[in-house]
Amino acid sequence: MKKRVVLRATGKVQKVGYRDFVQDSARELSVVGTVENMRDGSVQIVCEGEEAAIESFQKAIKVKKDFIDVHELSVLKTEKATGEFEYFDI
């Protein structure tokens, strides 16, 4: 079953290539959705995909790598997938 999850990443996640990293991870795992910088310095991710793919995606994007340092990746909302996304975009 496909699901939709809204995530918020905090830490050193802006101006360090994190959105590109998230997009690459999503595409590798066949997850669709969007990632965007928020005004408070966090990054919000809306993703849809198979449950196992979403779980792998969440593990993949909670990283400390190069300049990226995700302190916390929190789930804001989980619901049934809407099917509105065709790709994963920044």
Side-chain angles (χ1 to χ4, degrees), residues 14-52:
Q14 289 193 10
K15 299 182 182 159
V16 291
Y18 184 61
R19 290 178 301 160
D20 289 321
F21 178 80
V22 169
Q23 183 181 50
D24 291 345
S25 299
R27 289 181 173 170
E28 283 174 23
L29 294 163
S30 300
V31 171
V32 296
T34 63
V35 58
E36 67 177 305
N37 284 340
M38 304 307 285
R39 291 176 68 187
D40 66 0
S42 68
V43 169
Q44 183 167 295
I45 301 135
V46 178
C47 55
E48 292 189 357
E50 294 298 332
E51 201 161 333

Side-chain angles (χ1 to χ4, degrees), residues 31-80:
V31 171
V32 296
T34 63
V35 58
E36 67 177 305
N37 284 340
M38 304 307 285
R39 291 176 68 187
D40 66 0
S42 68
V43 169
Q44 183 167 295
I45 301 135
V46 178
C47 55
E48 292 189 357
E50 294 298 332
E51 201 161 333
I54 295 289
E55 285 176 24
S56 297
F57 175 64
Q58 285 179 255
K59 287 182 185 127
I61 63 172
K62 188 173 184 342
V63 295
K64 183 172 185 148
K65 175 185 175 202
D66 301 324
F67 296 108
I68 301 166
D69 185 3
V70 179
H71 295 174
E72 186 177 2
L73 184 68
S74 47
V75 176
L76 302 181
K77 196 183 332 183
T78 302
E79 53 198 16
K80 204 169 143 184

